[in-house]
Amino acid sequence: MGEKLVNGGLFLLSILYTYFARGYSFGSPTAPKVGFLPQLVGYCAIVISGYLLVRSLMGKGDAQNVKLRCDYKRLGLLVLSMVVYILIFKPVGYLISTAALLYAAMKIGRVKGWKIPAAVSVLASVFFFLVFKVFLAVPLPAGLLF
Amino acid sequence: MLETFSALFDGFAVCFSLENIFACIAGVLVGTLTGVLPGIGVTGAMALLLPLTYGMDATPATILFAGIYYGAMYGGSTTSILVNLPGEAASVITCLDGNAMAKKGRAGAALSIAAIGSFIAGTIGLVGLTFFAPVLADAALKFGPPEYFAIAMLGLVLLTNLTGKNALKSFLMVLVGLMLSTIGVDSVSGISRLTFGIPSLMRGLEFGVVAMAVFGINDLFGTLVEPQEKKEIGHVTLRELYPTRDEMKRSVGPILRGTLIGFLIGLMPGPAGTLASFSSYSVEKKLSKHPEQFGQGAIEGVAGPESSNNAASSAAMVPLLSLGLPFAPPAAMLLTGFIVHGITPGPTLITQHPDVFWGLIASMYIGNVFLVIINLPFVGVWASMLRTPANILMPIVMVITMTGAFATNNSVTDMVVLLILGVFAYFVAKYGYSMAPLAVGIVLGSTIETGLTQGMIICEGSVWKMMTRPLSGTILWLALLLVAATLFKPVKKLLINSKDD
Amino acid sequence: MWKKTLAMTLVLAMTAAAAAGCSSAGTASGDSSDYPSKEIEWLVPYTAGGSSDQMARLIAKYSKQYLGVDIIIENVGGGGGNVGLSQFVTDPSASDGYNITCFNTTANLQPIYGTCEYDWLEELEPLALCVSIPIAIAVPKDSPFNTIEDLIEYAKANPGDIQYGHAGIGSITNVAAEQFCLEAGIQMTAVPFGSGADALTAIMGSQIDVDVASLSEVLSYGETGELKLLALCTDTTIETMPEVPTLVSKGYNVDQKVTQGIATGKDTDAEMVAVLDEGLGKIINDENFIAELKDYGMDVDYMNAADFSTFLQEQREEFTQVVTDSGILEQVQAQTN
């Protein structure tokens, strides 16, 4: 089941890409334009992903028996926490958001207790802040702190 | 020949001044750090340090920059091996077997071999640079756009045989990589493609971000959301930290071959380090008596690629120093470094500023020695980091990747890309689609496209003409033969089966 | 095991803190009524190492002296400058007086093709013109052409046979080349490259027949004989190579050059603009600066904010004309049909 979905998804992706690629002119072999390579790539991808999709639909796919042991709830929470991180990154600032993300990720990863996650979150955030912002002069947002 | 030796000797003499030694150490340290940290690229680091060098003389300044360049090639392998995160584009392939070795408790061995191989290759590459620079530079110029296209195609063909059990799936991943590479403003025509009006997409997807997403985030998700078996790696003795005699023996061939491959490919423009490491991996897999071990932790898969990317960085100096032509962004930065100090590299560099030229080359030998000295003892430290429980280590790695993604271009968009591609990679990889071809696709994408476009114009639109040009033709025919060879077995099987019906 | 991790993280944090303490990252903000009172950020919309970047870094070297503050350079390259410029104009701090960027020929050309969302001439406030670089026509040293007349003769007899390289479709070198073809009545095939450096590599390897390039790229090779410089698309001659003719002297009305200037956000306070104008003027006219820039192969061509502004308007009108006449406008727009 999973394989059919993934193959189907890739097939759709290829079609979508080719659709956009056709918006650029192809040119000709003597004078290729910006659409030249994208369209070639797109058509190839449609053919290959289509073939793989059909094979998996017919039951001959080579990843038929893969079972995902993924806990979708945790995955959802993890992705959600990353989205929140991205949203609060600039307004709240690097230190607080990163510490929060670290804490969240560790709890999702089943780290027991709160002392260790809290300590590691704070210390690691400070450490990276110093390395990236102070040492390497990357402008990390200060946000609410200063 | 004798003059070269004596000039080199003078170079060493120049090198041993306090200022120059200091510059050398500083350069390689910064370079290693740059290589280890994803998101900070070599060019970025050089640009940051450029103002600091204004007060320095030409020689120490260029020594510093050069140190950053090849130092990064050492550092990049560290994170690839430990946490499946390529710190540099050239270290992507090291992730495959290097990380597999780490998971089996052989991280120390992998790191050591990477350092040793890098040292040997870097040094041999320098010897090539010292003695053959002008000749090689002229030869390098014979490669034009059709040849770049041909080599990139050969690289693709080699790669789709490498990974995953299914060559078609690998090829599809390459195509996805190519698709990703077309996002952004096309450098040749200035037209922006697939940016959907988002300004920060105009610069295209940064390779570092994509690599972090499809290798690192992918792995990370797995660790955090899947049930883990308790694996006690146990106490690792000092002896286990370093490669066994058998591993060392098996690495000799790959290191030497990797050096040769890396050096030759490094003479070309474009992502030479990356191409070199892929080619080396592919060659080693073909030559190995145990090809099934590749991907599971074969030491050859670490020794070869790591050597070739260091040889490539030595080779990149050839066109820069002898012709003044930078073939890669870090080399362009080095060029700026030269010019700021009043030196124009090119045919006249050796005659007008022999002290700078030979001092630089001598410093690179010394730098490589420093790097090996610095990296080897730390192997123990790095390897012991792995004993941190995964559910603490992984979030930290995740934060490094997110920060690195932002740091690349000070843009939140990169973090979004990281997340989306990471989720995509997580699901797709489970079903037999390998990520390395995708990484290759995005790296080679612009070379393939510009090579094809310019090549077609130069060959007046005729594919046949491209196949009959001496250099590009040879390479393209080779690629075709390889494709035929791969198809041979399954086609044969198909024909035999149909005969039986 | 936890203790070990904790210990390590503590050690790392402490080391980092120590390092931070020793580093000089702070900047003193002096009198707030004095402008400029803190560093100015220069967003260079090209990758590090190119000629705009070199010029910027050189100016930054002198900024403390004449402007009183340091200039920090940030490179955001890509898309011929479009990416960096887009980022600049969409950031509200572009007009706060502490942010500047580059304004080059390409920036004045691109909007004509309609390929970018913004018109840089409208979005930016010009501050100064710094550099003008002539454009040259170069051929490999073993090329059969020794003079520009040889080239034109061959091209007339074999239209489309000669392949020339330029720095990007629609770029000033492309425009200059096409204008030349128009004036001389010949046809050459254009091989597009992403940058002047790529085209230079190609001509050095004789992969293309001609390279129409900015002089700073080819001058040193012309002097040593690695390349032959057939003519100049600009109406000035080269000091060190007076024998290279200008197209104008041969009767072809082609006068294009690469210009590199400085600009800031359009809503910047007039007083701040005046201060920047004056400060940059002093830097650009400093003797040492001029000499150092010459080492890079760039000649100083200074215009203050007002003159630069007028110049850009005139240049825009001229470009619109040339681009339509020579057919480049069609070519670029054909890419997206």
Side-chain angles (χ1 to χ4, degrees), chain A residues 18 22 114 127:
Chain A
T18 315
R22 283 173 61 92
W114 66 270
F127 175 67

Side-chain angles (χ1 to χ4, degrees), chain C residues 42-55:
Chain C
W42 189 333
L43 194 153
V44 174
Y46 305 98
T47 36
S51 55
S52 303
D53 180 64
Q54 292 167 341
M55 172 192 92

Side-chain angles (χ1 to χ4, degrees), chain B residues 11-208:
Chain B
F12 274 107
V14 168
C15 234
F16 280 113
S17 84
L18 205 61
E19 206 188 356
N20 293 335
I21 293 276
F22 183 69
C24 191
I25 300 184
V28 301
L29 275 178
V30 173
T32 313
L33 187 68
T34 310
V36 169
L37 286 175
I40 306 290
V42 177
T43 327
M46 287 189 198
L48 280 173
L49 292 180
L50 185 60
L52 291 177
T53 62
Y54 284 150
M56 295 160 91
D57 277 335
T59 319
T62 49
I63 290 179
L64 181 86
F65 274 6
I68 299 180
Y69 188 28
Y70 54 89
M73 294 298 164
Y74 275 77
S77 54
T78 309
T79 44
S80 306
I81 293 173
L82 291 180
V83 286
N84 206 28
L85 257 187
E88 288 294 316
S91 313
V92 165
I93 277 280
T94 316
C95 286
L96 293 177
D97 281 81
N99 192 236
M101 281 179 76
K103 294 207 159 88
K104 285 196 196 155
R106 302 295 301 143
L111 288 167
S112 311
I113 283 289
I116 297 176
S118 300
F119 173 67
I120 297 181
T123 312
I124 297 184
L126 280 176
V127 171
L129 169 62
T130 316
F131 293 105
F132 301 118
V135 175
L136 289 172
D138 282 334
L141 282 182
K142 298 261 180 302
F143 283 75
E147 282 73 31
Y148 306 149
F149 173 68
I151 293 188
M153 288 308 288
L154 182 63
L156 277 190
V157 169
L158 284 175
L159 192 69
T160 52
N161 287 335
L162 294 184
T163 49
K165 303 166 223 99
N166 189 328
L168 267 185
K169 284 186 171 172
S170 295
F171 190 61
L172 185 60
M173 283 296 106
V174 172
L175 290 177
V176 172
L178 286 178
M179 289 187 208
L180 291 176
S181 78
T182 56
I183 298 179
V185 175
D186 172 41
S187 60
V188 163
S189 62
I191 312 270
S192 52
R193 298 183 292 190
L194 297 167
T195 53
F196 306 114
I198 306 175
S200 28
L201 277 185
M202 284 170 74
R203 92 179 69 87
L205 296 184
E206 192 74 36
F207 173 79

Side-chain angles (χ1 to χ4, degrees), chain B residues 325-327 332 335, chain C residues 167 193-204 211 217:
Chain B
L325 291 175
F327 279 176
L335 183 65
Chain C
F193 289 88
S195 67
D198 292 336
L200 181 63
T201 312
I203 192 88
M204 292 296 287
D211 183 16
E217 287 158 10

